[in-house]
Amino acid sequence: MTAIAERTGRAAGRAERIRVFLILGALSAIGPLSIDMYLPALPKLTRDLAAGPSLVQLTLTACMIGLAAGQVIAGPISDMWGRRRPMFAGIAIYTVASLACVVAPNVELLVALRLIQGVAGAACIVISRAVVRDLHDGPAAARFFSLLMLVNGIAPVAAPVIGAQVLRFTSWRGVFGVLALLGALMTVSMLGLRETLPPAERHTGGLRAAVRTFRELSVDRIFMGYALAGGFAFAAMFAYISGSPYVVQNIYGLSPQNYSLIFAVNSLGIVAFGQASGLLVGRVRPITLLRAGLLISLAGGALLLLAVLGGLGLPGVLPALFLVVSAIGLTLPNSTALALTGRPANIAGSASALFGLLQYVVGAVAAPLVGLAGSHSATPMAIVIAASAAVGILLLVGLTRARHPAG
């Protein structure tokens, strides 16, 4: 009977871990789902609402601003009130905002609703990272974040495909209907999610304490070293996302369908590298995996620059882009785990918020730089990618030297 009870207990524990992983994975994928599923609908939306392209693109910008700013709000709140209530509120508000987008009568209201949608979705993203920190530390946290990369790598591939299929049967409003349905399903799934930050471990002191925590983290060399390394790796990714459609289609003449195939292959590279990271954690230090990811990204950027300047064409460009994008599977989970490891549980939400904000800020600065020479040159994209990886390595080494003096 004891052996049966032990096996039953292990099976129940394994089922609970899988359930938590699926919930956190779905919540962490809200960003790419909210943005990428919507992209195929932009032309139809522009016509239906009789709005200019720039105003319609503002609906995309508003969501991204919300995803960045919302993390700064939700992270400290989760440190004070616990993880479950703010995350539940975030996904519920996200669902309502998505439903409101379905019936938005004009683009101005849609911009406002997309901002609310982004802020609410950000709560789920930032708090899901804090939950991982509550449950795991060190290599175990890095392994769990690597598992989440499986979802975050697949989501950008699946979202545009789902959006395109929805548009075959309905209008752009149907895309937001699907997002609302996904939000409702996640809301229901969270009903059984237990609280991971007990009341005794929560942060007290209100807004003033939250500001003080952000200030302390911003001058913490070790935290900023990991966070900025992850941020500049993210900047290389943003440069790829904003520049590759023009490079691959305008310069090298591939069709949108072929570009989507390249995008999918590169995203699967993220999944592969992320799972390799998860398998290696425990045998290889997370800092070593993070350095390897940044070096691979730098190598990809250097090869891309060589291919562009040397006129090597797609045979030189595509492998380089694959290295740059796939490296995120190593850099993101390990930089996240290292930045949050060792932080007290009652500031994990704030640390996760500052980490996420830095990613979006650095990425947002890098993205428009790829268009400085217009849409008919790949050189700016190659320079930004290589420079981002190089700066990430320099900041990592310079700021975390005291933590890793032996290399």
Side-chain angles (χ1 to χ4, degrees):
M1 290 295 291
T2 302
I4 294 175
E6 288 179 356
R7 286 197 297 271
T8 302
R10 285 196 299 270
R14 187 161 52 248
E16 175 65 15
R17 287 193 296 272
I18 292 173
R19 191 172 72 88
V20 170
F21 162 71
L22 291 175
I23 293 173
L24 295 183
L27 292 171
S28 67
I30 278 182
L33 288 175
S34 301
I35 295 171
D36 297 340
M37 190 184 296
Y38 168 64
L39 295 179
L42 290 180
K44 286 190 175 182
L45 191 156
T46 302
R47 293 192 297 271
D48 289 352
L49 296 183
S54 60
L55 193 55
V56 170
Q57 287 171 340
L58 189 58
T59 64
L60 186 61
T61 303
C63 184
M64 295 184 70
I65 291 173
L67 287 169
Q71 297 190 52
V72 181
I73 300 170
I77 288 176
S78 76
D79 289 337
M80 293 184 286
W81 296 355
R83 313 298 186 207
R84 192 173 182 274
R85 282 187 297 166
M87 191 155 54
F88 188 85
I91 191 60
I93 294 171
Y94 176 89
T95 303
V96 173
S98 299
L99 278 175
C101 287
V102 174
V103 296
N106 55 62
V107 72
E108 291 81 8
L109 180 57
L110 186 61
V111 169
L113 290 171
R114 288 284 281 169
L115 179 64
I116 295 171
Q117 192 185 40
V119 171
C124 303
I125 296 170
V126 68
I127 298 174
S128 64
R129 285 197 299 260
V131 169
V132 175
R133 168 60 190 86
D134 293 340
L135 298 174
H136 305 286
D137 207 1
R143 188 175 295 112
F144 199 99
F145 282 121
S146 295
L147 279 174
L148 291 182
M149 288 303 300
L150 177 63
V151 178
N152 288 321
I154 292 175
V157 180
V161 175
I162 295 172
Q165 295 307 308
V166 170
L167 289 174
R168 292 181 60 187
F169 303 100
T170 182
S171 70
W172 59 269
R173 298 181 188 275
V175 175
F176 288 109
V178 172
L179 289 175
L181 177 61
L182 292 174
L185 292 174
M186 284 187 269
T187 303
V188 173
S189 72
M190 282 185 55
L191 292 175
L193 189 67
R194 67 181 179 87
E195 177 59 60
T196 59
L197 185 65
E201 297 181 13
R202 293 174 189 173
H203 203 293
T204 58
L207 180 61
R208 183 176 299 178
V211 172
R212 184 171 61 250
T213 299
F214 279 131
R215 186 170 61 246
E216 291 171 354
L217 287 169
S218 66
V219 297
D220 183 328
R221 288 168 54 91
I222 303 300
F223 174 84
M224 291 300 291
Y226 296 139
L228 288 172
F232 276 94
F234 212 61
M237 180 70 168
F238 265 56
Y240 157 77
I241 290 173
S242 61
S244 61
Y246 301 100
V247 170
V248 173
Q249 295 179 65
N250 289 3
I251 298 175
Y252 295 108
L254 267 66
S255 67
Q257 291 73 25
N258 286 333
Y259 170 72
S260 65
L261 178 61
I262 293 169
F263 194 91
V265 170
N266 289 339
S267 297
L268 292 176
I270 298 177
V271 174
F273 276 52
Q275 297 318 291
S277 175
L279 292 172
L280 291 172
V281 165
R283 288 175 287 178
V284 180
R285 294 188 305 164
I287 182 62
T288 303
L289 294 172
L290 174 56
R291 289 170 179 166
L294 288 170
L295 288 171
I296 291 172
S297 183
L298 178 60
L303 289 173
L304 179 62
L305 193 57
L306 179 64
V308 169
L309 296 179
L312 302 182
L314 281 175
V317 168
L318 294 184
L321 287 177
F322 180 81
L323 289 177
V324 170
V325 177
S326 299
I328 288 290
L330 288 174
T331 55
L332 197 56
N334 289 291
S335 62
T336 306
L338 287 165
L340 299 184
T341 290
R343 306 289 158 192
N346 62 359
I347 68 164
S350 297
S352 175
L354 184 56
F355 183 91
L357 179 65
L358 286 170
Q359 278 188 336
Y360 275 91
V361 168
V362 177
V365 170
L369 296 179
V370 303
L372 288 179
S375 60
H376 298 285
S377 174
T379 304
M381 183 182 74
I383 292 174
V384 171
I385 288 174
S388 296
V391 172
I393 292 172
L394 291 174
L395 288 172
L396 178 68
V397 173
L399 293 177
T400 66
R401 187 181 299 276
R403 175 69 63 84
H404 308 286

